[in-house]
């Protein structure tokens, strides 16, 4: 059974930093791109970042709203995904979901097929 | 960036009704569109990928259609457990973007 479990959320002041983790199990983590998606309270879904597989140099993509402030990374030996969030703003407050990219067979044009339950990040002074 | 516009933003229908939600992309995205269902306080669940392919485990009353810029999600016979918010999302290019959501309520 595929499981994604986020951790590391909490309260941080504007300008502060936080690191989210996502522990994956039930599938071969190294074979999948991974995403972070966030949802501000009462709002819709916003894609944040993507990291490709090691076979694709673990290359990354970011939403413009977080580019330069957030860093997505992965440790395939630990089946873990991370999101380092620096220079946090009030508008970054949200529940952050990690999600699995469905895979590159036959094409890497794939949706997100499994999601974690989310980690709540509150940005307030 | 590709903008995804969903309509309606909310609807109310009776059990057994056929429900259709539309999603329009601001430019062509081929078939690279997904639909997700989200219930309050829960993570989104994948329903449809590649515009019309049913995700494993999703009920067969859900179906998707479309290509290019216009897409639809249809619930053939609405059930009480279908009360949720539905989102479309394109994955044709970066940044990936979601529609604003459609809240489905049961009368």
């Amino acid at each position: 059974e595929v499981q994604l479990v986020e951790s590391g959320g909490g309260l941080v002041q504007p300008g502060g930093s936080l690191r989210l983790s996502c522990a994956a199990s039930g599938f071969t983590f190294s074979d999948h791109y991974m995403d972070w998606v966030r949802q501000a309270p009462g709002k819709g879904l916003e894609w944040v970042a993507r990291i490709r597989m090691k076979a694709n140099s673990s290359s990354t993509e970011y939403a413009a709203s977080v580019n330069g402030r957030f860093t997505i990374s992965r440790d395939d030996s630990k089946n873990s995904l991370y999101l380092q969030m620096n220079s946090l703003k009030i508008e970054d407050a949200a529940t952050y979901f990690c999600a699995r990219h469905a895979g590159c067979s036959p094409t890497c044009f794939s949706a997100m097929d499994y999601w974690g339950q989310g980690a709540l990040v509150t940005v307030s002074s | 960036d590709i903008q995804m516009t969903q309509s309606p933003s909310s609807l109310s229908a009776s059990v057994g009704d056929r429900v259709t939600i539309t999603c329009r992309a601001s430019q062509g995205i081929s078939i690279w569109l997904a639909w997700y269902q989200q219930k309050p306080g829960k993570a989104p669940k994948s329903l449809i990928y590649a515009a019309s392919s049913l995700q494993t485990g999703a009920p067969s009353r859900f179906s998707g259609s479309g290509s290019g810029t216009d897409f639809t999600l249809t619930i053939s016979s609405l059930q009480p457990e279908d009360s949720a918010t539905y989102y479309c999302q394109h994955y044709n290019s970066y940044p990936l973007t979601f529609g604003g959501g459609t809240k489905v309520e049961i009368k």
Side-chain angles (χ1 to χ4, degrees):
Chain A
E1 178 192 8
V2 173
Q3 286 197 331
L4 299 168
V5 180
E6 301 91 340
S7 60
L11 173 63
V12 61
Q13 292 185 336
S17 297
L18 206 60
R19 188 196 197 204
L20 301 181
S21 300
C22 173
S25 61
F27 65 102
T28 304
F29 180 72
S30 58
D31 285 349
H32 288 263
Y33 297 7
M34 296 294 295
D35 291 284
W36 287 100
V37 176
R38 68 183 180 184
Q39 186 170 38
K43 303 298 184 183
L45 300 169
E46 180 188 15
W47 172 77
V48 173
R50 167 168 286 177
I51 187 164
R52 297 181 180 86
M53 301 177 286
K54 187 176 180 181
N56 304 111
S57 305
S58 299
S59 56
T60 58
E61 305 284 348
Y62 294 94
S65 58
V66 306
N67 196 25
R69 300 187 298 122
F70 289 13
T71 302
I72 187 172
S73 62
R74 64 191 298 159
D75 186 338
D76 291 347
S77 68
K78 295 182 179 179
N79 290 339
S80 291
L81 176 72
Y82 305 102
L83 186 67
Q84 177 67 44
M85 303 184 292
N86 297 333
S87 303
L88 280 160
K89 304 176 181 180
I90 297 289
E91 54 264 38
D92 293 319
T95 296
Y96 285 74
F97 299 99
C98 68
R100 188 184 85 161
H101 176 272
C104 287
S105 178
T107 168
C108 288
F109 284 95
S110 293
M112 302 167 206
D113 59 356
Y114 287 94
W115 298 61
Q117 286 305 302
L120 180 63
V121 173
T122 303
V123 184
S124 174
S125 54
Chain B
D1 296 5
I2 298 174
Q3 308 304 317
M4 306 302 293
T5 304
Q6 281 183 241
S7 61
S9 57
S10 66
L11 65 90
S12 182
S14 299
V15 172
D17 282 354
R18 183 180 184 88
V19 169
T20 298
I21 299 168
T22 65
C23 179
R24 174 164 288 176
S26 60
Q27 62 190 74
I29 59 169
S30 185
I31 60 167
W32 307 127
L33 183 104
W35 290 95
Y36 304 95
Q37 176 194 65
Q38 188 181 33
K39 297 183 179 180
K42 300 295 186 180
K45 285 186 176 179
S46 175
L47 291 175
I48 301 287
Y49 64 95
S52 62
S53 294
L54 189 68
Q55 186 65 253
T56 302
S60 58
R61 61 182 178 274
F62 291 94
S63 63
S65 65
S67 66
T69 60
D70 294 311
F71 302 86
T72 60
L73 174 70
T74 299
I75 309 173
S76 61
S77 178
L78 191 66
Q79 300 301 303
E81 60 267 32
D82 300 335
S83 178
T85 300
Y86 294 83
Y87 294 94
C88 63
Q89 177 234 327
H90 88 82
Y91 48 97
N92 182 76
S93 59
Y94 297 102
L96 311 180
T97 53
F98 291 85
T102 296
K103 187 173 184 178
V104 174
E105 295 181 331
I106 309 297
K107 283 183 184 175

